[in-house]
Amino acid sequence: MHVPTANLAYTKFLFIIPRREDDAAGTRLRAAGGIVARGFFNDFDADGSREGQPHERIQFLVAEGEHRADAGIGAAKYAVRVQLDPNKLAARNIGLDEVQASVQRHNANLPSGTLWGPKQAFTVQADGQVMNAPAYRPLIIAYRNGAPVRLDEVGEVLDSVQQDKNLAWVDGQRSIMFQVQRQPGTNTVEVVDRIKALIPEFQAQLPPAAKLDTVYDRSVSIRDSVDDVKYTLLLTVGLVVLVIFIFLRNVSATLIASMALPMSIIGTFAAMKLLGFSLDNLSLMALTLAVGFVVDDAIVVLENVERIMREERLSSREAAIKAMGEVTGPVIAIVLVLCSVFVPVAFLGGLTGELYKQFALTLATSVVLSAVAALTLAPALCALLLHPAAQHKPNPLLRGFFDWFNNTFARCTRGYVSSTAVLIRRALLVALTFAVLLVAIYGLLKTRPTALVPDEDQGYFITSIQLPSDATAERTLEVVKTYEQYVASRPGIKSNISILGYGLSGSGPNTAMGFTLLQDWDQRQGANAWEELYEAYMAMADQVQE
């Protein structure tokens, strides 16, 4: 039995906590993270207890190797609260320590004797533990003038909770929150999916009034971000194929150059599997950039084969053989140059190296595989699909477009050549302009803010509330309620989690924090996390003077 004490100005509080630490009435369970529990508990059992601790059950169930459940914030463990009246104690000449010692003496679980058998002895224990407030009230704490003084004569005895200063609310409703965190080296999306698959098991083991719910799911922003990159990747592939077709004006030639894309990308996926990489934003960004690189080598081979077929009147097979003798070296050189740019990034130390290792190695792998495709697949396809008669004979329906494009491109080329000739004659002016640009770039690098990774709107922001050190929990709660009323009025805000007693700067009755969740990106009407955070700060600065 543990009997902690807390002193206020004129009142002494005692918390008598039975060994069966159970739930208090009116508690709502929630969890911030992959799993959330919430529910109402309206009444105590006959003995003032609850059968089991829902938040402890959840913590036990999810504490496995790939994820960890933190203890519930706002958990309301059952306790009996004794609020003593100093005036009544003084009138009876009873001290606080005398009350505490008496309560502990009546709530003991000590051996009271021994049963001796022929082969084994048994210790007899009398369970004198008191379980609820009605059982504590008639306890005799002292005798004065021959009459017993009972506990309820010197104060109030209430069924309550162990800690009533560290509380949590979700959208104004009392809650218990659990944060389920993945362990290092595991995948967030996979962990969230596994936790959500366990929700029916959690629900079955909780009291009927309890309900599990998800308040914040980190995988949502990850999935949305990955979906955006996937869309960009597909759009890039489509644009690359379209550009190839516009310039080559031949379906067969476009197919040959485009075949380097799936071979390189699929091969890169296999290499990522062997290297233990996952599909995250950095690796997908590398694949998106690789789309523009992987077709270059195939185009070099294709254009050289076409040139030889046109100029030397050779068959596609003979032209492919001769072209490979000419461009194998340049293709390998291109790959080595690109790898020399990206591979060193993978060997950077510290957190930067860990972040960009996947990016660098994914991009380098795709470039190497594109060279393999250009040196093996591309010449084979050229020998099979290219035909001299089909060269430069586009579909009649597209002839007008190609004529317009060729004429426009030719005019741009002539303009570029003439402007280059003018700049060559004014080399000093070009050199001075280049020097000015270098100075401007250096100035921008020195004046612009730097960061390890760009700021990202993840769909939430955190607010820390810090009152003067002598502020009470009730005073802090008023500020929390004011903040809750404000965020409830904002159309771009979906939900808010308020925590009393904990803050970013520490813990105590004068601290609190808000974990504010925004609407889905397609429902915000242009609002973002930074704007909502600024508006919340300005609104609280105007309404609360602390």
Side-chain angles (χ1 to χ4, degrees):
M1 182 188 70
H2 177 53
V3 186
T5 60
N7 287 300
L8 295 183
Y10 301 103
T11 308
K12 175 98 171 186
F13 290 90
L14 301 179
F15 298 102
I16 296 88
I17 306 171
R19 279 190 299 275
R20 294 176 60 185
E21 298 178 348
D22 301 301
D23 302 294
T27 300
R28 185 175 276 265
L29 294 178
R30 286 189 180 251
I35 179 80
V36 179
R38 73 173 180 179
F40 285 114
F41 302 97
N42 299 317
D43 301 304
F44 289 100
D45 294 339
D47 61 353
S49 64
R50 282 284 174 189
E51 186 60 36
Q53 282 283 8
H55 58 278
E56 291 178 352
R57 295 187 201 175
I58 294 175
Q59 186 177 357
F60 173 76
L61 286 171
V62 302
E64 299 178 357
E66 294 188 0
H67 41 276
R68 175 176 60 84
D70 292 339
I73 298 175
K77 293 185 178 182
Y78 173 75
V80 174
R81 183 181 295 267
V82 181
Q83 182 174 346
L84 301 175
D85 188 331
N87 295 323
K88 293 181 179 179
L89 290 174
R92 293 168 175 80
N93 195 25
I94 298 176
L96 294 174
D97 295 338
E98 187 176 355
V99 176
Q100 181 175 352
S102 177
V103 170
Q104 289 177 324
R105 183 172 61 253
H106 284 86
N107 199 37
N109 185 13
L110 302 174
S112 56
T114 304
L115 295 178
W116 296 96
K119 296 183 178 181
Q120 186 176 359
F122 299 91
T123 300
V124 178
Q125 289 186 335
D127 187 0
Q129 190 172 25
V130 185
M131 303 302 297
N132 53 30
Y136 275 98
R137 290 174 186 139
L139 291 181
I140 298 174
I141 59 173
Y143 287 89
R144 293 294 182 267
N145 300 323
V149 179
R150 303 185 183 277
L151 186 60
D152 59 354
E153 296 178 16
V154 294
E156 295 184 53
V157 184
L158 307 170
D159 283 319
S160 185
V161 294
Q162 176 182 353
Q163 177 56 263
D164 64 349
K165 304 302 181 184
N166 297 332
L167 306 175
W169 293 263
V170 176
D171 297 330
Q173 297 178 331
R174 277 292 311 278
S175 308
I176 297 177
M177 304 188 328
F178 298 86
Q179 182 177 8
V180 182
Q181 294 180 323
R182 69 176 182 88
Q183 296 294 346
T186 58
N187 185 279
T188 301
V189 176
E190 181 180 355
V191 169
V192 169
D193 290 340
R194 292 183 60 186
I195 291 296
K196 287 185 175 180
L198 292 174
I199 287 181
E201 180 182 349
F202 296 161
Q203 185 69 67
Q205 298 191 37
L206 291 175
K211 180 183 177 182
L212 297 176
D213 191 13
T214 301
V215 174
Y216 175 67
D217 182 354
R218 178 69 178 90
S219 69
V220 173
S221 61
I222 295 176
R223 295 177 202 267
D224 290 342
S225 180
V226 170
D227 288 341
D228 289 342
V229 179
K230 287 179 180 178
Y231 171 77
T232 304
L233 178 60
L234 294 176
L235 180 63
T236 303
V237 171
L239 291 175
V240 167
V241 173
L242 178 62
V243 170
I244 293 173
F245 177 70
I246 290 175
F247 276 90
L248 299 182
R249 303 182 300 281
N250 187 293
V251 175
S252 298
T254 302
L255 179 63
I256 293 170
S258 301
M259 284 302 293
L261 281 171
M263 180 176 176
S264 301
I265 299 301
I266 295 174
T268 303
F269 285 150
M272 291 173 63
K273 177 68 175 179
L274 294 176
L275 294 172
F277 295 165
S278 61
L279 282 179
D280 53 25
N281 283 346
L282 289 174
S283 58
L284 286 174
M285 182 175 65
L287 290 174
T288 303
L289 295 177
V291 170
F293 288 115
V294 297
V295 297
D296 291 345
D297 297 335
I299 292 175
V300 170
V301 173
L302 174 63
E303 290 186 336
N304 203 45
V305 173
E306 279 194 322
R307 179 186 60 80
I308 294 174
M309 291 175 64
R310 182 176 64 255
E311 295 178 356
E312 303 183 18
R313 305 294 181 179
L314 296 178
S315 65
S316 58
R317 183 177 183 277
E318 294 172 340
I321 295 174
K322 184 173 183 180
M324 293 312 298
E326 297 177 355
V327 300
T328 298
V331 168
I332 295 175
I334 292 173
V335 173
L336 292 178
V337 170
L338 292 176
C339 288
S340 67
V341 174
F342 298 116
V343 171
V345 178
F347 296 97
L348 292 175
L351 181 59
T352 304
E354 289 297 322
L355 284 175
Y356 291 103
K357 179 184 295 182
Q358 288 196 54
F359 171 81
L361 294 182
T362 299
L363 192 53
T365 301
S366 63
V367 170
V368 171
L369 291 176
S370 71
V372 175
L375 297 176
T376 57
L377 181 63
L381 292 177
C382 288
L384 293 174
L385 300 179
L386 287 184
H387 303 286
Q391 296 183 45
H392 310 297
K393 291 185 178 180
N395 190 303
L397 297 177
L398 299 176
R399 189 184 303 276
F401 169 77
F402 283 131
D403 290 341
W404 170 83
F405 178 81
N406 291 337
N407 293 332
T408 303
F409 189 75
R411 287 195 298 270
C412 293
T413 302
R414 290 193 297 269
Y416 173 77
V417 172
S418 60
S419 62
T420 303
V422 172
L423 293 176
I424 291 175
R425 292 193 296 269
R426 293 171 173 80
L428 181 59
L429 178 61
V430 173
L432 291 175
T433 304
F434 181 68
V436 171
L437 291 176
L438 289 179
V439 173
I441 292 173
Y442 179 80
L444 290 174
L445 290 175
K446 287 296 184 179
T447 57
R448 298 299 300 165
T450 60
L452 180 62
V453 293
D455 291 333
E456 181 181 3
D457 185 350
Q458 297 183 3
Y460 72 93
F461 61 87
I462 299 175
T463 304
S464 179
I465 299 174
Q466 182 77 42
L467 272 68
S469 59
D470 59 348
T472 63
E474 290 74 17
R475 181 181 173 188
T476 307
L477 181 58
E478 293 178 0
V479 178
V480 171
K481 293 302 180 183
T482 302
Y483 179 75
E484 289 181 341
Q485 293 174 0
Y486 166 75
V487 297
S489 65
R490 298 290 297 177
I493 293 177
K494 179 180 181 181
S495 182
N496 180 72
I497 302 170
S498 299
I499 301 174
L500 178 65
Y502 297 97
L504 298 179
S505 58
S507 60
N510 64 320
T511 61
M513 62 184 300
F515 190 87
T516 306
L517 308 176
L518 277 65
Q519 297 283 0
D520 293 338
W521 282 264
D522 56 350
Q523 300 178 7
R524 294 190 199 170
Q525 300 178 351
N528 57 47
W530 297 278
E531 293 175 356
E532 291 290 353
L533 177 61
Y534 177 76
E535 293 293 336
Y537 173 79
M538 297 303 297
M540 294 301 295
D542 294 337
Q543 298 182 32
V544 180
Q545 301 295 327
E546 293 288 354

